[in-house]
Amino acid sequence: MDDGLFETPGAAVRTGGGSLNANTHASAPLAVRMRPRTLDELVGQAQLRAPGSPLRRLVEGDQSMSLLLWGPPGTGKTTIASIVSQQTDRRFVEVSAVSAGVKEVRAAIDAARAELVATGRETVLFVDEVHRFSKAQQDGLLPGVENRWVTLIAATTENPFFSVISPLLSRSLLLRLESLTDDDVRAVLDQALVDERGLGGKVAVEEEALEHLVRLAGGDARRSLTYLEAATGAAVSQGLDTVDLATAETAVDRAAVRYDRQGDQHYDVVSAFIKSVRGSDADAALHYLARMMEAGEDPRFIARRLMILASEDIGLADSTALQTAVAAAQTVQLIGMPEAQLTLAHATIALAVVPKSNAVTTAIGAAVADVRAGKIGQVPPHLRDAHYAGAKKIGHGSTYKYSHDEPFGVAEQQYAPDVVLDREYYQPTSLGAEASIKERWERVRRIIRGS
């Protein structure tokens, strides 16, 4: 039955005649009814929709090309598969990565091959969350891709270089999807309010309520439409034709956090967050972290701030702080929200409770200040490059002492230019692990300078 979209309870494979929009009806979820039908209706992902882009060539040139779509939830991966199917008049088949086994994968490909032989009609095989497939299941996709029995469109929220087998990666075009901006999500909601497939202008939403829904969506178009449907449904059930902030808060069970990501509140809360971590108040830091996350702040921005703090305010008092912050940033990028809130909380607490030192910050600040003040000076001759012909004739490197040949691996010789010879940029504290570094650095500095 290929002339319509159907899915039986627990089915591992879903088949449609042209796309996911084929049998959309009034009782379908708003997110389904508002699914874009063409590339021009797709919101965001401008880099994928540009003239001459691989995706546009696939759609408009009707080429056979397998795609691997990598991006956060709600950015349009399923929609793109639907558009490719509809605009190229290909049969649409979706394989569930959660419930399908090797048998179902092979059956879907065999059916696509039979359809191609019998009617000449190609098939879009959409595999959502392909990273959940085992290696054997992913291997089962290869014959269909290699022989072009199907146009495979596989979607993943995880880094495909870790979760997708190399043969499948090499046979597919990898497209990276970015999180939608607030303006993108706002455009999705505005369209749903007036479009006949959506609310058709029957319900209005006050500005504060709309901003609340945009913030909660966190760059996820599908989530924003789900929230909008809940809010408008709540208003209609009360006999209202306008959704105010109170109705929106009640409908989605989330209080509106007063937080303007482009204004003073953004900078004030972020500032308080960083100063709380610097001040070692883990409880206060967690409060501000929660406010940012509930308001829909970009988790990558928070992770970047923690990486900066790890060197600026902790430094060598605990060198593992930077490792923790970098690992948190990578994890946030890989898993996204809401799970990433655990990672951010982990890193926030870890950085808040360790010893603090700004010695790294003051050291580079003092060095940069001297350079900007013109204290440059010549590189001492024994440190200059001595690898080219004639270098030693002009004294380059001739008196250089190789540190590994000296006692304790430290050589007494001049390293800094004369103009800053006596400067002591790095002045370690006695806090945390930096205490032992301070003791060693003072001994080493005395050996180097012969004092």
Side-chain angles (χ1 to χ4, degrees), residues 192-429:
L193 284 168
V194 299
D195 197 296
E196 289 302 321
R197 292 178 298 152
L199 301 172
K202 297 174 183 176
V203 184
V205 181
E206 291 184 356
E207 184 63 26
E208 274 193 321
L210 203 56
E211 289 180 358
H212 179 45
L213 298 179
V214 169
R215 282 197 300 267
L216 290 183
D220 187 323
R222 182 169 52 246
R223 186 187 303 163
S224 73
L225 290 169
T226 299
Y227 288 156
L228 177 63
E229 187 171 28
T232 54
V236 170
S237 68
Q238 300 173 49
L240 305 174
D241 59 4
T242 300
V243 178
D244 58 16
L245 180 59
T247 302
E249 289 179 308
T250 302
V252 299
D253 195 27
R254 297 279 288 276
V257 179
R258 312 301 183 197
Y259 185 91
D260 178 7
R261 276 182 273 175
Q262 304 301 321
D264 291 343
Q265 291 162 328
H266 163 82
Y267 295 105
D268 288 347
V269 174
V270 169
S271 175
F273 171 66
I274 294 302
K275 289 172 181 173
S276 297
V277 178
R278 178 185 298 146
S280 300
D281 191 331
D283 294 326
L286 285 171
H287 167 78
Y288 293 117
L289 174 63
R291 282 174 63 170
M292 289 188 288
M293 292 191 300
E294 286 297 296
E297 181 63 81
D298 186 345
R300 295 170 299 179
F301 167 77
I302 301 172
R304 288 195 296 269
R305 293 301 308 170
L306 288 173
M307 284 194 291
I308 295 168
L309 181 142
S311 293
E312 180 181 7
D313 295 304
I314 298 173
L316 293 172
D318 189 336
S319 290
T320 65
L322 181 57
Q323 298 171 20
T324 298
V326 171
Q330 292 174 334
T331 304
V332 166
Q333 182 71 24
L334 286 171
I335 68 176
M337 296 294 278
E339 291 85 356
Q341 67 181 342
L342 300 175
T343 302
L344 291 173
H346 175 169
T348 295
I349 295 171
L351 270 57
V353 300
V354 298
K356 305 296 190 298
S357 169
N358 71 340
V360 169
T361 303
T362 56
I364 188 60
V368 169
D370 276 354
V371 170
R372 289 178 177 174
K375 296 180 180 179
I376 304 297
Q378 295 293 318
V379 174
H382 57 283
L383 298 185
R384 297 178 190 176
D385 181 22
H387 288 87
Y388 62 91
K392 291 190 180 296
K393 293 181 180 180
I394 55 177
H396 287 190
S398 59
T399 60
Y400 172 65
K401 296 179 181 178
Y402 187 53
S403 297
H404 297 293
D405 292 337
E406 301 296 314
F408 311 110
V410 180
E412 178 186 346
Q413 64 184 338
Q414 180 178 339
Y415 289 96
D418 291 340
V419 69
V420 291
L421 184 59
D422 296 325
R423 295 288 279 140
E424 296 183 358
Y425 296 123
Y426 179 47
Q427 300 184 29
T429 69

Side-chain angles (χ1 to χ4, degrees), residues 5-298:
L5 181 64
F6 69 90
E7 182 175 17
T8 57
V13 179
R14 182 169 63 179
T15 308
S19 74
L20 293 178
N21 298 88
N23 278 354
T24 302
H25 47 82
S27 62
L30 181 61
V32 174
R33 303 201 308 270
M34 288 304 301
R35 192 182 298 280
R37 297 158 295 189
T38 67
L39 278 183
D40 293 328
E41 288 184 2
L42 185 66
V43 174
Q45 317 307 336
Q47 77 283 5
L48 302 184
R49 297 183 290 110
S53 66
L55 181 58
R56 192 167 286 278
R57 292 202 310 272
L58 172 61
V59 170
E60 297 179 351
D62 196 15
Q63 298 179 355
S64 291
M65 183 189 307
S66 290
L67 302 179
L68 186 56
L69 306 178
W70 174 27
T75 51
K77 298 186 291 294
T78 306
T79 294
I80 288 174
S82 174
I83 289 172
V84 170
S85 171
Q86 184 174 15
Q87 290 201 252
T88 61
D89 194 30
R90 286 179 169 92
R91 176 172 167 267
F92 185 92
V93 175
E94 179 178 358
V95 176
S96 170
V98 176
S99 55
V102 175
K103 179 180 177 181
E104 287 80 9
V105 170
R106 289 175 177 167
I109 292 177
D110 288 343
R113 182 184 183 187
E115 179 77 14
L116 184 63
V117 171
T119 68
R121 191 182 189 197
E122 297 182 21
T123 297
V124 167
L125 177 61
F126 177 61
V127 181
D128 198 10
E129 298 187 281
V130 69
H131 56 271
R132 294 180 180 271
F133 266 174
S134 66
K135 181 180 182 297
Q137 288 169 305
Q138 292 187 32
D139 281 335
L141 295 168
L142 291 176
V145 174
E146 289 177 333
N147 295 290
R148 292 191 173 176
W149 297 330
V150 297
T151 296
L152 174 67
I153 301 183
T156 180
T157 56
E158 298 189 5
N159 190 328
F161 294 102
F162 296 115
S163 57
V164 177
I165 60 173
S166 296
L168 194 55
L169 268 175
S170 65
R171 289 164 174 80
S172 305
L173 179 65
L174 177 62
L175 299 182
R176 181 76 181 272
L177 280 72
E178 303 293 340
S179 292
L180 300 184
T181 66
D182 283 356
D183 288 341
D184 291 334
V185 173
R186 178 63 180 263
V188 169
L189 295 181
D190 287 341
Q191 182 63 28
L193 284 168
V194 299
D195 197 296
E196 289 302 321
R197 292 178 298 152
L199 301 172
K202 297 174 183 176
V203 184
V205 181
E206 291 184 356
E207 184 63 26
E208 274 193 321
L210 203 56
E211 289 180 358
H212 179 45
L213 298 179
V214 169
R215 282 197 300 267
L216 290 183
D220 187 323
R222 182 169 52 246
R223 186 187 303 163
S224 73
L225 290 169
T226 299
Y227 288 156
L228 177 63
E229 187 171 28
T232 54
V236 170
S237 68
Q238 300 173 49
L240 305 174
D241 59 4
T242 300
V243 178
D244 58 16
L245 180 59
T247 302
E249 289 179 308
T250 302
V252 299
D253 195 27
R254 297 279 288 276
V257 179
R258 312 301 183 197
Y259 185 91
D260 178 7
R261 276 182 273 175
Q262 304 301 321
D264 291 343
Q265 291 162 328
H266 163 82
Y267 295 105
D268 288 347
V269 174
V270 169
S271 175
F273 171 66
I274 294 302
K275 289 172 181 173
S276 297
V277 178
R278 178 185 298 146
S280 300
D281 191 331
D283 294 326
L286 285 171
H287 167 78
Y288 293 117
L289 174 63
R291 282 174 63 170
M292 289 188 288
M293 292 191 300
E294 286 297 296
E297 181 63 81
D298 186 345

